[in-house]
Amino acid sequence: MEKNHDTVIVLDFGAQYSQLIARRVRELGVYSQIVPFNTSAEEIKKMAPKGIIFSGGPASVSQALSPRPDKEIFNLNIPILGICYGLQVMSLLLGGHVTCPEKKEYGIANINIIKASKLLKDVSNLSQVWMSHGDSVDKIPEGFSTTANTPNCPYTVIEDEKRNFYGVQFHPEVVHSVEGQKMLSNFVLDICKAKADWNMGNFINEAVESIRKEVGDGQVLCGLSGGVDSSVAAVLIHKAIGDKLVCVFVNNGMLRKNEAQNVLDLFGKHFNMRLQYADAEDMFLTALKGKTDPEDKRKTIGKLFVDTFYNEARKCGEITHLAQGTLYPDIVESKSPFGGPTSTIKSHHNVGGLPEDLKWKLLEPLKELFKDEVRELGRELGLPEELVDRHPFPGPGLGVRCIGEVTKERLDTLRDVDAIFIEEIRNAGLYHEIWQALADLLPVKSVGVQGDERTYREVCTLRAVTSQDAMTADWYRLPYDVMQKCASRICNEVKGVNRVLYDITSKPPATIEWE
């Protein structure tokens, strides 16, 4: 997609926070793009960035094979900000020296500002920052001066104002660095003089133009799941090309309560999209009969979905493009030199495994966006808040939350449990504090007393977690009164359940989903 706005590049040295740096820059209204540390100066020059940020990284600059940027980058006359490892490698390459001192800094520190600096403009003295480093600069390069320090780090903030090179030993991008965003703003907006014109309104205009140019007279197929990514992608593409988009919606029988009808109403009636609907519930349930192994269930659901999707696609006429909801983190990880996936394309969870001979071109209109930007884009496009802010939901749906054998009766029971749980956490104003909330139906029954009668019914478990990226997760401390209301409603309103459990296991050792 051709861009008409300024860009700040994040040179990635393997930091866990590289994506966070890019997101922080975008929060300032400036487009930011992550590129590998070994991107050549010539390639960067072609990208014409207003500024470059060297990320942190896990390596030590003293290691022989530690990552190094192209030294010609320093001759491009582009402002540079080095963060942590980025500060160290910049110092080393420009003639400074880095050592591994006895005293290292991990955690909170307070910077002592000793000299006025554009980078530290309006930053409070003794401002709290987040340190995480073993190595430290013990000699700064010629032309640099020190603007702030800490008791354990004499060169906490350094600068060469003449060349517009700046370095910080802490991480301004994390929330623990209280005025870190102010420092990034000083660099991006004041030092780099980047225009703050990155917003979803501009993105929509550029994307619509780009999609029309790419598709031409062709026809785009989109696998619509009702999830955030595929929904936003479908509405954006439809805005660009109208009826040249055809969406295939497969009802595998494992959707949430009323979800199939909601998708048909929203996309078919409200947005007036061409929608190919496959009600395949009976087919999926027949294929799953007697299966209890989680991996067997996932593979069965996945293969049958692909077959069903492909069969429906054949009814849609000549297809030239396949739309996918690939996001920017998928692209970044695929290009990472630090052990990320080697493929540059991530198969959408609903259409992965399509036959290679289809020869469709991929159309990925969201591949420049982070998840929070996709949600913002969805709002701009008029999607309802309940869909846009939806928690992650597995591709196999309730099939992997119906522990044990999957049957129509058990799925209907689980749908009712899930609907009550989600409704109650929304009513309590807790939905946005939770990364993911889910209910599972367990393959056990328990004795109960309901209406003065003995019952022997199924057991369900509720689970809510907090997380940043789903790699780790902590269980959410749901208030007791909310737990009580959920349990009471479920046992009173859902015929098949007489016992409710709350899962308080973090990840690790458990995964977020049970299967």
Side-chain angles (χ1 to χ4, degrees):
M1 187 187 303
E2 293 182 7
K3 302 180 191 62
N4 302 312
H5 39 254
D6 291 344
T7 300
V8 170
I9 284 175
V10 177
L11 212 60
D12 181 17
F13 289 92
Q16 59 177 320
Y17 296 130
S18 290
Q19 291 186 25
L20 184 56
I21 297 170
R23 287 176 59 188
R24 291 287 182 257
V25 174
R26 292 188 184 191
E27 286 170 11
L28 297 170
V30 176
Y31 181 70
S32 184
Q33 184 175 348
I34 301 170
V35 300
F37 73 90
N38 52 5
T39 304
S40 71
E42 192 60 35
E43 290 176 81
I44 290 175
K45 185 177 180 180
K46 290 177 184 176
M47 298 168 75
K50 300 294 286 188
I52 303 169
I53 298 177
F54 287 6
S55 82
S60 167
V61 293
S62 62
Q63 296 171 340
L65 298 177
S66 58
R68 300 279 198 274
D70 182 346
K71 202 172 177 180
E72 286 301 311
I73 288 173
F74 298 111
N75 296 323
L76 294 178
N77 197 28
I78 298 172
I80 297 174
L81 171 63
I83 295 175
C84 200
Y85 179 90
L87 158 70
Q88 296 161 13
V89 76
M90 178 169 65
S91 297
L92 192 66
L93 292 177
L94 292 176
H97 188 264
V98 178
T99 188
C100 184
E102 289 184 15
K103 288 188 176 181
K104 308 180 191 312
E105 278 189 307
Y106 298 101
I108 289 170
N110 299 93
I111 59 169
N112 176 40
I113 300 175
I114 58 178
K115 181 184 174 184
S117 165
K118 290 181 182 177
L119 186 69
L120 301 178
K121 178 188 172 187
D122 296 330
V123 174
S124 311
N125 192 33
L126 301 181
S127 184
Q128 177 184 298
V129 297
W130 182 260
M131 293 283 198
S132 180
H133 67 101
D135 291 347
S136 290
V137 175
D138 64 348
K139 178 190 171 187
I140 58 176
E142 188 176 342
F144 278 76
S145 61
T146 307
T147 55
N149 57 29
T150 67
N152 291 333
C153 183
Y155 304 113
T156 304
V157 184
I158 66 172
E159 66 171 48
D160 181 338
E161 188 176 4
K162 186 177 179 181
R163 290 187 286 179
N164 273 328
F165 295 161
Y166 297 81
V168 295
Q169 186 55 75
F170 51 87
H171 289 274
E173 70 275 17
V174 303
V175 294
H176 304 292
S177 293
V178 175
E179 295 179 278
Q181 188 69 346
K182 186 178 291 184
M183 299 175 204
L184 290 174
S185 175
N186 288 340
F187 177 72
V188 172
L189 301 179
D190 295 343
I191 296 170
C192 299
K193 302 190 184 308
K195 293 192 297 288
D197 58 2
W198 169 255
N199 57 62
M200 286 304 107
N202 287 344
F203 176 84
I204 290 171
N205 294 334
E206 291 177 5
V208 164
E209 185 180 338
S210 176
I211 291 166
R212 286 174 180 163
K213 186 176 179 181
E214 165 68 22
V215 175
D217 294 328
Q219 184 169 247
V220 179
L221 180 71
C222 179
L224 190 61
S225 69
V228 179
D229 301 342
S230 68
S231 297
V232 174
V235 175
L236 178 62
I237 296 168
H238 185 256
K239 183 178 178 67
I241 61 172
D243 283 347
K244 291 179 186 175
L245 169 71
V246 57
C247 293
V248 171
F249 174 48
V250 177
N251 181 358
N252 60 9
M254 281 157 276
L255 304 176
R256 288 178 167 182
K257 192 171 184 177
N258 301 324
E259 186 165 18
Q261 191 58 52
N262 290 342
V263 169
L264 292 173
D265 289 344
L266 178 63
F267 296 97
K269 296 179 180 178
H270 179 72
F271 284 107
N272 295 313
M273 290 186 187
R274 291 173 60 200
L275 194 57
Q276 187 78 21
Y277 175 55
D279 187 351
E281 180 180 33
D282 291 342
M283 189 192 315
F284 276 82
L285 290 176
T286 299
L288 288 168
K289 190 173 182 179
K291 296 184 186 294
T292 58
D293 178 73
E295 193 60 24
D296 194 11
K297 286 160 62 176
R298 279 184 174 273
K299 287 180 178 177
T300 300
I301 294 169
K303 183 180 184 307
L304 192 53
F305 183 94
V306 168
D307 292 344
T308 307
F309 180 86
Y310 182 41
N311 288 336
E312 292 299 320
R314 294 175 64 185
K315 304 173 185 177
C316 300
E318 185 67 29
I319 299 296
T320 57
H321 293 76
L322 174 65
Q324 294 198 136
T326 308
L327 304 190
Y328 192 50
D330 305 313
I331 299 293
V332 172
E333 288 163 11
S334 73
K335 293 180 178 178
S336 171
F338 300 101
T342 54
S343 171
T344 57
I345 298 297
K346 180 203 75 167
S347 295
H348 190 282
H349 69 270
N350 275 348
V351 294
L354 285 168
E356 292 181 6
D357 61 355
L358 290 182
K359 303 191 186 309
W360 294 333
K361 296 178 182 177
L362 283 181
L363 183 65
E364 298 169 302
L366 310 181
K367 66 182 179 181
E368 295 177 347
L369 304 182
F370 290 103
K371 189 74 173 189
D372 54 334
E373 292 174 316
V374 172
R375 296 187 195 279
E376 185 184 345
L377 174 60
R379 294 184 187 98
E380 286 275 340
L381 291 167
L383 282 163
E385 190 68 25
E386 229 175 70
L387 188 152
V388 170
D389 72 358
R390 186 183 185 189
H391 289 170
F393 189 63
L398 297 180
V400 291
R401 294 180 180 175
C402 194
I403 313 302
E405 187 175 8
V406 180
T407 66
K408 176 74 162 62
E409 182 182 17
R410 297 190 77 217
L411 285 168
D412 286 342
T413 298
L414 182 55
R415 268 187 269 271
D416 288 338
V417 171
D418 174 81
I420 290 171
F421 185 34
I422 299 300
E423 182 181 342
E424 286 304 324
I425 63 173
R426 281 193 183 277
N427 288 343
L430 302 174
Y431 190 82
H432 293 101
E433 292 183 19
I434 296 169
W435 168 271
Q436 194 169 356
L438 58 131
D440 290 273
L441 197 62
L442 304 185
V444 294
K445 291 186 177 182
S446 73
V447 174
V449 179
Q450 292 172 294
D452 295 326
E453 292 183 359
R454 177 186 183 276
T455 60
Y456 188 56
R457 293 177 178 166
E458 290 194 282
V459 178
C460 74
T461 181
L462 309 181
R463 179 157 172 74
V465 298
T466 57
S467 180
Q468 291 293 322
D469 53 13
M471 298 301 292
T472 61
D474 191 20
W475 65 279
Y476 183 77
R477 276 65 171 171
L478 204 64
Y480 290 152
D481 61 328
V482 179
M483 288 188 193
Q484 190 276 329
K485 194 165 186 181
C486 288
S488 177
R489 282 194 61 192
I490 289 167
C491 290
N492 285 328
E493 299 176 29
V494 183
K495 186 178 178 181
V497 175
N498 68 358
R499 193 175 299 269
V500 179
L501 311 178
Y502 190 65
D503 184 347
I504 62 168
T505 320
S506 295
K507 175 186 180 181
T511 51
I512 295 176
E513 298 282 352
W514 277 52
E515 291 190 343

mmCIF file of all heavy atoms in Angstrom, residues 218-255:
data_model
loop_
_atom_site.group_PDB
_atom_site.id
_atom_site.type_symbol
_atom_site.label_atom_id
_atom_site.label_comp_id
_atom_site.label_asym_id
_atom_site.label_seq_id
_atom_site.Cartn_x
_atom_site.Cartn_y
_atom_site.Cartn_z
ATOM 1 N N GLY A 218 -11.285 -8.393 -10.827
ATOM 2 C CA GLY A 218 -11.356 -9.723 -10.224
ATOM 3 C C GLY A 218 -12.442 -9.842 -9.166
ATOM 4 O O GLY A 218 -13.255 -8.931 -8.960
ATOM 5 N N GLN A 219 -12.429 -10.986 -8.500
ATOM 6 C CA GLN A 219 -13.407 -11.260 -7.454
ATOM 7 C C GLN A 219 -12.684 -11.836 -6.239
ATOM 8 O O GLN A 219 -11.814 -12.693 -6.368
ATOM 9 C CB GLN A 219 -14.471 -12.247 -7.957
ATOM 10 C CG GLN A 219 -15.580 -12.506 -6.961
ATOM 11 C CD GLN A 219 -16.758 -13.260 -7.571
ATOM 12 O OE1 GLN A 219 -17.836 -12.729 -7.705
ATOM 13 N NE2 GLN A 219 -16.526 -14.514 -7.925
ATOM 14 N N VAL A 220 -13.060 -11.336 -5.054
ATOM 15 C CA VAL A 220 -12.384 -11.715 -3.814
ATOM 16 C C VAL A 220 -13.264 -12.635 -2.991
ATOM 17 O O VAL A 220 -14.462 -12.382 -2.805
ATOM 18 C CB VAL A 220 -12.031 -10.465 -2.975
ATOM 19 C CG1 VAL A 220 -11.356 -10.861 -1.674
ATOM 20 C CG2 VAL A 220 -11.142 -9.525 -3.777
ATOM 21 N N LEU A 221 -12.639 -13.697 -2.479
ATOM 22 C CA LEU A 221 -13.322 -14.626 -1.574
ATOM 23 C C LEU A 221 -12.808 -14.408 -0.161
ATOM 24 O O LEU A 221 -11.602 -14.300 0.064
ATOM 25 C CB LEU A 221 -13.035 -16.070 -2.003
ATOM 26 C CG LEU A 221 -13.689 -17.168 -1.162
ATOM 27 C CD1 LEU A 221 -15.190 -17.202 -1.392
ATOM 28 C CD2 LEU A 221 -13.072 -18.528 -1.503
ATOM 29 N N CYS A 222 -13.721 -14.322 0.797
ATOM 30 C CA CYS A 222 -13.333 -14.112 2.191
ATOM 31 C C CYS A 222 -14.030 -15.128 3.082
ATOM 32 O O CYS A 222 -15.260 -15.280 3.020
ATOM 33 C CB CYS A 222 -13.686 -12.689 2.631
ATOM 34 S SG CYS A 222 -13.282 -12.329 4.356
ATOM 35 N N GLY A 223 -13.268 -15.836 3.896
ATOM 36 C CA GLY A 223 -13.842 -16.750 4.877
ATOM 37 C C GLY A 223 -14.269 -15.960 6.098
ATOM 38 O O GLY A 223 -13.431 -15.460 6.844
ATOM 39 N N LEU A 224 -15.550 -15.817 6.293
ATOM 40 C CA LEU A 224 -16.083 -15.000 7.382
ATOM 41 C C LEU A 224 -16.402 -15.890 8.573
ATOM 42 O O LEU A 224 -17.196 -16.832 8.466
ATOM 43 C CB LEU A 224 -17.338 -14.278 6.901
ATOM 44 C CG LEU A 224 -17.926 -13.201 7.797
ATOM 45 C CD1 LEU A 224 -16.924 -12.075 8.021
ATOM 46 C CD2 LEU A 224 -19.198 -12.655 7.159
ATOM 47 N N SER A 225 -15.784 -15.594 9.715
ATOM 48 C CA SER A 225 -16.004 -16.423 10.900
ATOM 49 C C SER A 225 -16.883 -15.744 11.936
ATOM 50 O O SER A 225 -17.392 -16.390 12.842
ATOM 51 C CB SER A 225 -14.656 -16.765 11.552
ATOM 52 O OG SER A 225 -14.069 -15.608 12.115
ATOM 53 N N GLY A 226 -17.027 -14.418 11.829
ATOM 54 C CA GLY A 226 -17.724 -13.676 12.865
ATOM 55 C C GLY A 226 -16.774 -13.130 13.909
ATOM 56 O O GLY A 226 -17.174 -12.405 14.814
ATOM 57 N N GLY A 227 -15.479 -13.460 13.782
ATOM 58 C CA GLY A 227 -14.461 -12.924 14.671
ATOM 59 C C GLY A 227 -14.049 -11.525 14.241
ATOM 60 O O GLY A 227 -14.460 -11.033 13.179
ATOM 61 N N VAL A 228 -13.204 -10.890 15.035
ATOM 62 C CA VAL A 228 -12.841 -9.494 14.794
ATOM 63 C C VAL A 228 -12.098 -9.331 13.472
ATOM 64 O O VAL A 228 -12.477 -8.505 12.621
ATOM 65 C CB VAL A 228 -11.973 -8.946 15.947
ATOM 66 C CG1 VAL A 228 -11.570 -7.500 15.673
ATOM 67 C CG2 VAL A 228 -12.711 -9.040 17.276
ATOM 68 N N ASP A 229 -11.020 -10.098 13.267
ATOM 69 C CA ASP A 229 -10.149 -9.869 12.111
ATOM 70 C C ASP A 229 -10.867 -10.095 10.777
ATOM 71 O O ASP A 229 -10.789 -9.266 9.871
ATOM 72 C CB ASP A 229 -8.911 -10.770 12.193
ATOM 73 C CG ASP A 229 -8.112 -10.520 13.457
ATOM 74 O OD1 ASP A 229 -8.298 -9.459 14.077
ATOM 75 O OD2 ASP A 229 -7.311 -11.402 13.849
ATOM 76 N N SER A 230 -11.548 -11.239 10.652
ATOM 77 C CA SER A 230 -12.212 -11.523 9.371
ATOM 78 C C SER A 230 -13.369 -10.553 9.124
ATOM 79 O O SER A 230 -13.631 -10.165 7.985
ATOM 80 C CB SER A 230 -12.711 -12.977 9.332
ATOM 81 O OG SER A 230 -13.763 -13.194 10.246
ATOM 82 N N SER A 231 -14.039 -10.134 10.197
ATOM 83 C CA SER A 231 -15.163 -9.211 10.043
ATOM 84 C C SER A 231 -14.689 -7.845 9.559
ATOM 85 O O SER A 231 -15.270 -7.253 8.642
ATOM 86 C CB SER A 231 -15.909 -9.058 11.371
ATOM 87 O OG SER A 231 -16.467 -10.286 11.782
ATOM 88 N N VAL A 232 -13.630 -7.329 10.185
ATOM 89 C CA VAL A 232 -13.107 -6.015 9.795
ATOM 90 C C VAL A 232 -12.559 -6.070 8.370
ATOM 91 O O VAL A 232 -12.793 -5.159 7.567
ATOM 92 C CB VAL A 232 -12.027 -5.546 10.786
ATOM 93 C CG1 VAL A 232 -11.364 -4.253 10.301
ATOM 94 C CG2 VAL A 232 -12.631 -5.328 12.175
ATOM 95 N N ALA A 233 -11.828 -7.144 8.050
ATOM 96 C CA ALA A 233 -11.289 -7.283 6.695
ATOM 97 C C ALA A 233 -12.410 -7.304 5.666
ATOM 98 O O ALA A 233 -12.335 -6.642 4.618
ATOM 99 C CB ALA A 233 -10.445 -8.559 6.596
ATOM 100 N N ALA A 234 -13.481 -8.047 5.966
ATOM 101 C CA ALA A 234 -14.596 -8.160 5.017
ATOM 102 C C ALA A 234 -15.274 -6.809 4.794
ATOM 103 O O ALA A 234 -15.553 -6.427 3.648
ATOM 104 C CB ALA A 234 -15.611 -9.179 5.535
ATOM 105 N N VAL A 235 -15.518 -6.063 5.861
ATOM 106 C CA VAL A 235 -16.205 -4.778 5.715
ATOM 107 C C VAL A 235 -15.330 -3.771 4.967
ATOM 108 O O VAL A 235 -15.813 -3.001 4.132
ATOM 109 C CB VAL A 235 -16.619 -4.221 7.092
ATOM 110 C CG1 VAL A 235 -17.228 -2.829 6.955
ATOM 111 C CG2 VAL A 235 -17.637 -5.150 7.747
ATOM 112 N N LEU A 236 -14.032 -3.790 5.235
ATOM 113 C CA LEU A 236 -13.114 -2.882 4.538
ATOM 114 C C LEU A 236 -13.068 -3.198 3.045
ATOM 115 O O LEU A 236 -13.142 -2.292 2.197
ATOM 116 C CB LEU A 236 -11.710 -2.987 5.150
ATOM 117 C CG LEU A 236 -10.619 -2.135 4.507
ATOM 118 C CD1 LEU A 236 -10.943 -0.654 4.623
ATOM 119 C CD2 LEU A 236 -9.261 -2.426 5.148
ATOM 120 N N ILE A 237 -12.946 -4.478 2.709
ATOM 121 C CA ILE A 237 -12.887 -4.876 1.295
ATOM 122 C C ILE A 237 -14.209 -4.556 0.595
ATOM 123 O O ILE A 237 -14.239 -4.085 -0.546
ATOM 124 C CB ILE A 237 -12.540 -6.373 1.166
ATOM 125 C CG1 ILE A 237 -11.135 -6.641 1.713
ATOM 126 C CG2 ILE A 237 -12.626 -6.833 -0.284
ATOM 127 C CD1 ILE A 237 -10.811 -8.113 1.888
ATOM 128 N N HIS A 238 -15.305 -4.805 1.305
ATOM 129 C CA HIS A 238 -16.626 -4.517 0.716
ATOM 130 C C HIS A 238 -16.788 -3.028 0.440
ATOM 131 O O HIS A 238 -17.375 -2.630 -0.578
ATOM 132 C CB HIS A 238 -17.719 -4.999 1.673
ATOM 133 C CG HIS A 238 -19.101 -4.851 1.121
ATOM 134 N ND1 HIS A 238 -19.967 -3.856 1.521
ATOM 135 C CD2 HIS A 238 -19.768 -5.558 0.163
ATOM 136 C CE1 HIS A 238 -21.107 -3.967 0.849
ATOM 137 N NE2 HIS A 238 -21.018 -4.987 0.031
ATOM 138 N N LYS A 239 -16.247 -2.192 1.315
ATOM 139 C CA LYS A 239 -16.297 -0.742 1.098
ATOM 140 C C LYS A 239 -15.560 -0.369 -0.182
ATOM 141 O O LYS A 239 -15.944 0.558 -0.894
ATOM 142 C CB LYS A 239 -15.676 -0.014 2.299
ATOM 143 C CG LYS A 239 -15.725 1.514 2.221
ATOM 144 C CD LYS A 239 -15.124 2.144 3.467
ATOM 145 C CE LYS A 239 -15.130 3.666 3.385
ATOM 146 N NZ LYS A 239 -16.492 4.232 3.412
ATOM 147 N N ALA A 240 -14.490 -1.141 -0.465
ATOM 148 C CA ALA A 240 -13.665 -0.837 -1.636
ATOM 149 C C ALA A 240 -14.267 -1.361 -2.938
ATOM 150 O O ALA A 240 -14.267 -0.656 -3.952
ATOM 151 C CB ALA A 240 -12.261 -1.411 -1.446
ATOM 152 N N ILE A 241 -14.783 -2.590 -2.936
ATOM 153 C CA ILE A 241 -15.160 -3.225 -4.207
ATOM 154 C C ILE A 241 -16.591 -3.742 -4.246
ATOM 155 O O ILE A 241 -17.006 -4.331 -5.252
ATOM 156 C CB ILE A 241 -14.189 -4.373 -4.556
ATOM 157 C CG1 ILE A 241 -14.215 -5.465 -3.480
ATOM 158 C CG2 ILE A 241 -12.782 -3.847 -4.774
ATOM 159 C CD1 ILE A 241 -13.420 -6.713 -3.846
ATOM 160 N N GLY A 242 -17.359 -3.550 -3.181
ATOM 161 C CA GLY A 242 -18.770 -3.930 -3.196
ATOM 162 C C GLY A 242 -18.995 -5.396 -3.516
ATOM 163 O O GLY A 242 -18.406 -6.285 -2.888
ATOM 164 N N ASP A 243 -19.815 -5.679 -4.524
ATOM 165 C CA ASP A 243 -20.217 -7.054 -4.842
ATOM 166 C C ASP A 243 -19.125 -7.892 -5.499
ATOM 167 O O ASP A 243 -19.353 -9.063 -5.824
ATOM 168 C CB ASP A 243 -21.457 -7.049 -5.746
ATOM 169 C CG ASP A 243 -22.721 -6.744 -4.958
ATOM 170 O OD1 ASP A 243 -22.653 -6.795 -3.714
ATOM 171 O OD2 ASP A 243 -23.765 -6.454 -5.580
ATOM 172 N N LYS A 244 -17.957 -7.313 -5.720
ATOM 173 C CA LYS A 244 -16.834 -8.140 -6.181
ATOM 174 C C LYS A 244 -16.291 -8.991 -5.040
ATOM 175 O O LYS A 244 -15.436 -9.849 -5.243
ATOM 176 C CB LYS A 244 -15.706 -7.267 -6.728
ATOM 177 C CG LYS A 244 -16.047 -6.564 -8.033
ATOM 178 C CD LYS A 244 -14.872 -5.698 -8.484
ATOM 179 C CE LYS A 244 -15.223 -4.873 -9.694
ATOM 180 N NZ LYS A 244 -14.113 -3.950 -10.050
ATOM 181 N N LEU A 245 -16.777 -8.726 -3.825
ATOM 182 C CA LEU A 245 -16.425 -9.547 -2.658
ATOM 183 C C LEU A 245 -17.556 -10.527 -2.402
ATOM 184 O O LEU A 245 -18.735 -10.155 -2.376
ATOM 185 C CB LEU A 245 -16.234 -8.670 -1.418
ATOM 186 C CG LEU A 245 -16.132 -9.413 -0.074
ATOM 187 C CD1 LEU A 245 -14.802 -10.154 0.033
ATOM 188 C CD2 LEU A 245 -16.309 -8.465 1.103
ATOM 189 N N VAL A 246 -17.186 -11.793 -2.194
ATOM 190 C CA VAL A 246 -18.164 -12.783 -1.759
ATOM 191 C C VAL A 246 -17.612 -13.459 -0.500
ATOM 192 O O VAL A 246 -16.456 -13.884 -0.462
ATOM 193 C CB VAL A 246 -18.482 -13.815 -2.870
ATOM 194 C CG1 VAL A 246 -17.229 -14.525 -3.357
ATOM 195 C CG2 VAL A 246 -19.504 -14.834 -2.372
ATOM 196 N N CYS A 247 -18.432 -13.495 0.540
ATOM 197 C CA CYS A 247 -18.009 -14.090 1.808
ATOM 198 C C CYS A 247 -18.636 -15.472 1.982
ATOM 199 O O CYS A 247 -19.823 -15.664 1.691
ATOM 200 C CB CYS A 247 -18.422 -13.200 2.986
ATOM 201 S SG CYS A 247 -17.576 -11.621 3.054
ATOM 202 N N VAL A 248 -17.841 -16.392 2.460
ATOM 203 C CA VAL A 248 -18.340 -17.727 2.788
ATOM 204 C C VAL A 248 -18.384 -17.859 4.304
ATOM 205 O O VAL A 248 -17.384 -17.666 4.986
ATOM 206 C CB VAL A 248 -17.434 -18.826 2.179
ATOM 207 C CG1 VAL A 248 -17.845 -20.202 2.706
ATOM 208 C CG2 VAL A 248 -17.523 -18.799 0.659
ATOM 209 N N PHE A 249 -19.564 -18.162 4.818
ATOM 210 C CA PHE A 249 -19.754 -18.345 6.249
ATOM 211 C C PHE A 249 -20.184 -19.778 6.506
ATOM 212 O O PHE A 249 -21.261 -20.205 6.077
ATOM 213 C CB PHE A 249 -20.796 -17.358 6.769
ATOM 214 C CG PHE A 249 -21.175 -17.556 8.212
ATOM 215 C CD1 PHE A 249 -20.201 -17.720 9.194
ATOM 216 C CD2 PHE A 249 -22.507 -17.572 8.590
ATOM 217 C CE1 PHE A 249 -20.552 -17.901 10.524
ATOM 218 C CE2 PHE A 249 -22.866 -17.744 9.916
ATOM 219 C CZ PHE A 249 -21.883 -17.918 10.885
ATOM 220 N N VAL A 250 -19.311 -20.517 7.178
ATOM 221 C CA VAL A 250 -19.586 -21.922 7.485
ATOM 222 C C VAL A 250 -20.062 -22.044 8.925
ATOM 223 O O VAL A 250 -19.336 -21.703 9.857
ATOM 224 C CB VAL A 250 -18.326 -22.792 7.277
ATOM 225 C CG1 VAL A 250 -18.617 -24.247 7.669
ATOM 226 C CG2 VAL A 250 -17.859 -22.721 5.823
ATOM 227 N N ASN A 251 -21.264 -22.530 9.105
ATOM 228 C CA ASN A 251 -21.783 -22.815 10.447
ATOM 229 C C ASN A 251 -21.448 -24.263 10.778
ATOM 230 O O ASN A 251 -22.085 -25.190 10.279
ATOM 231 C CB ASN A 251 -23.289 -22.576 10.501
ATOM 232 C CG ASN A 251 -23.861 -22.833 11.885
ATOM 233 O OD1 ASN A 251 -23.148 -23.236 12.810
ATOM 234 N ND2 ASN A 251 -25.165 -22.612 12.040
ATOM 235 N N ASN A 252 -20.434 -24.439 11.627
ATOM 236 C CA ASN A 252 -20.006 -25.796 11.971
ATOM 237 C C ASN A 252 -20.767 -26.366 13.170
ATOM 238 O O ASN A 252 -20.436 -27.440 13.671
ATOM 239 C CB ASN A 252 -18.495 -25.844 12.241
ATOM 240 C CG ASN A 252 -18.081 -24.939 13.388
ATOM 241 O OD1 ASN A 252 -18.924 -24.392 14.113
ATOM 242 N ND2 ASN A 252 -16.782 -24.753 13.550
ATOM 243 N N GLY A 253 -21.760 -25.611 13.640
ATOM 244 C CA GLY A 253 -22.549 -26.094 14.772
ATOM 245 C C GLY A 253 -21.905 -25.832 16.112
ATOM 246 O O GLY A 253 -22.470 -26.177 17.149
ATOM 247 N N MET A 254 -20.725 -25.217 16.102
ATOM 248 C CA MET A 254 -20.000 -24.994 17.352
ATOM 249 C C MET A 254 -19.813 -23.508 17.634
ATOM 250 O O MET A 254 -18.877 -23.097 18.302
ATOM 251 C CB MET A 254 -18.663 -25.738 17.311
ATOM 252 C CG MET A 254 -18.863 -27.215 17.593
ATOM 253 S SD MET A 254 -17.582 -28.287 16.969
ATOM 254 C CE MET A 254 -18.095 -28.512 15.291
ATOM 255 N N LEU A 255 -20.750 -22.707 17.102
ATOM 256 C CA LEU A 255 -20.726 -21.274 17.338
ATOM 257 C C LEU A 255 -21.439 -20.951 18.650
ATOM 258 O O LEU A 255 -22.116 -21.792 19.236
ATOM 259 C CB LEU A 255 -21.416 -20.547 16.185
ATOM 260 C CG LEU A 255 -20.862 -20.843 14.779
ATOM 261 C CD1 LEU A 255 -21.707 -20.142 13.731
ATOM 262 C CD2 LEU A 255 -19.411 -20.402 14.682
#
